[in-house]
Amino acid sequence: MYAGRIVEAGPVDAVLDAPHHPYTRGLIDSVPAMNPRGRPLAQIPGNAPSPGDLPPGCVFRTRCTRAIERCGELPPLEAPADARAGSRAARCWNPVPLPAAGTR
């Protein structure tokens, strides 16, 4: 969840192994145990919006490195085009692509 909205859903292992939403990817990249020793932790730029003043469209777009013009519209929570079998869903117009099969 981000700013009170579900941005990604699915089986825990699937989401953690290959997140589709840029916010989920940013959270995982900022976990010390998930990063090689000596590599600086990634940071999500900017600040979370005030709950009483959410931007229109995708609420993460002002902090997102993958934001596109269409992010001004609220994306539906749906299975990304390249989702593998399972109950995956992300609320994103420009989701993080999954790695090629066998490369994880």
Side-chain angles (χ1 to χ4, degrees):
M1 290 192 75
Y2 182 78
R5 291 191 182 151
I6 295 171
V7 294
E8 184 155 5
V12 173
D13 288 341
V15 171
L16 294 178
D17 286 347
H20 276 289
H21 198 279
Y23 178 62
T24 310
R25 175 82 269 161
L27 289 177
I28 292 168
D29 287 347
S30 69
V31 175
M34 304 286 282
N35 285 279
R37 186 174 183 88
R39 182 176 134 207
L41 293 178
Q43 295 181 12
I44 298 172
N47 296 305
S50 168
D53 190 26
L54 296 177
C58 175
V59 294
F60 186 63
R61 71 187 172 101
T62 60
R63 303 178 71 193
C64 185
T65 59
R66 297 184 57 80
I68 56 177
E69 187 174 335
R70 190 168 186 196
C71 296
E73 303 169 28
L74 181 63
L77 183 64
E78 63 186 6
D82 63 349
R84 293 187 178 90
S87 56
R88 298 288 305 270
R91 187 180 304 278
C92 188
W93 293 118
N94 193 19
V96 177
L98 285 175
T103 61
R104 284 197 251 179

